């Protein structure tokens, strides 16, 4: 399975393409890097560049699935709004190429890669380099994107958690007293 991982950003967006190993095969990085977006470029034009680059990556590597890191609320609501637009742009581009998209919280990605949901970006980058046998994983945005792809590949290979409902209908049926 080939996974396109994206770390959305308004100035720098990271991407990573990982081929998930099967059985004893090791995961391997096919490509990674960043989409640099100039500060003086209008936000809508930045979104256009991100969209175009995601389409290029999809056409070049033909990923089976895509995964994107979900932005979290910080101090600046305007920044969050712009990040959500980037995330939506990435999802739209992937869906334009019929690529299913999964979303992961930063803590979930960190935990999948380092074992700790509070790991620093440098720790994530170190583990990504080790797991993919890379001498260098580029900028932190690129290593974060590789981490997103690895996280998704592991979740996809592991399948749903034992006993976890497969959708909301199954959850409601299994938990009638918890839903009003």
């Amino acid at each position: 399975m080939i996974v396109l991982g994206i770390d959305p950003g308004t100035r720098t967006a990271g991407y990573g393409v990982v081929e998930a190993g099967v059985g004893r095969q090791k995961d391997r990085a096919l490509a990674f890097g960043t989409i640099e977006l100039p500060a003086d470029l209008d936000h809508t034009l930045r979104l256009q560049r991100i969209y175009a680059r995601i389409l290029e990556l999809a056409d070049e590597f033909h990923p089976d699935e895509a995964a994107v890191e979900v932005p979290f609320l910080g101090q600046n609501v305007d920044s969050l709004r712009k990040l959500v637009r980037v995330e939506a742009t990435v999802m739209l581009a992937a869906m334009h190429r019929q690529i299913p998209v999964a979303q992961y919280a930063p803590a979930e990605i960190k935990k999948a890669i380092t074992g700790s949901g509070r790991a620093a970006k440098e720790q994530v980058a170190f583990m990504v380099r080790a797991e993919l046998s890379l001498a260098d994983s580029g900028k932190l945005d690129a290593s974060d994107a590789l981490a997103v792809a690895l996280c998704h590949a592991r979740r996809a290979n592991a399948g749903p958690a034992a006993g976890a409902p497969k959708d909301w209908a199954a959850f409601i049926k299994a938990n009638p007293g918890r839903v009003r």
Side-chain angles (χ1 to χ4, degrees):
M1 172 173 63
I2 296 175
V3 180
L4 170 61
I6 302 293
D7 177 33
T10 57
R11 293 282 309 283
T12 303
Y15 66 86
V17 183
V18 170
E19 183 175 34
V22 179
R24 298 180 70 143
Q25 287 182 325
K26 208 170 171 204
D27 297 331
R28 118 186 132 99
L30 301 179
F32 57 91
T34 57
I35 305 166
E36 300 295 332
L37 306 159
D40 62 346
L41 189 64
D42 180 72
H43 183 66
T44 55
L45 295 176
R46 291 182 199 180
L47 296 176
Q48 184 182 35
R49 285 193 184 178
I50 291 168
Y51 185 86
R53 184 64 178 128
I54 299 302
L55 291 179
E56 288 172 1
L57 290 165
D59 292 343
E60 183 176 353
F61 295 101
H62 307 286
D64 300 294
E65 298 181 18
V68 63
E69 183 175 322
V70 178
F72 64 94
L73 179 60
Q75 296 292 322
N76 190 331
V77 176
D78 190 48
S79 293
L80 176 65
R81 205 172 68 227
K82 287 180 180 177
L83 274 174
V84 169
R85 289 179 189 149
V86 172
E87 177 192 15
T89 299
V90 168
M91 294 172 70
L92 183 61
M95 292 183 329
H96 189 88
R97 292 294 191 257
Q98 309 298 315
I99 302 168
V101 182
Q103 299 168 285
Y104 296 96
E108 185 176 1
I109 297 164
K110 291 175 182 181
K111 186 170 178 72
I113 303 304
T114 69
S116 170
R118 296 179 177 259
K121 282 181 168 281
E122 293 78 13
Q123 290 173 297
V124 173
F126 176 83
M127 291 303 294
V128 164
R129 284 192 306 273
E131 292 186 30
L132 295 173
S133 302
L134 298 172
D136 181 21
S137 57
K139 291 185 172 184
L140 291 177
D141 298 293
S143 61
D144 282 353
L146 286 168
V148 173
L150 284 171
C151 174
H152 181 69
R154 290 180 182 163
R155 297 294 189 262
N157 286 337
K166 64 179 182 167
D167 55 28
W168 278 111
F171 176 83
I172 291 168
K173 186 175 180 182
N175 300 281
R178 293 180 67 187
V179 181
R180 294 183 191 162

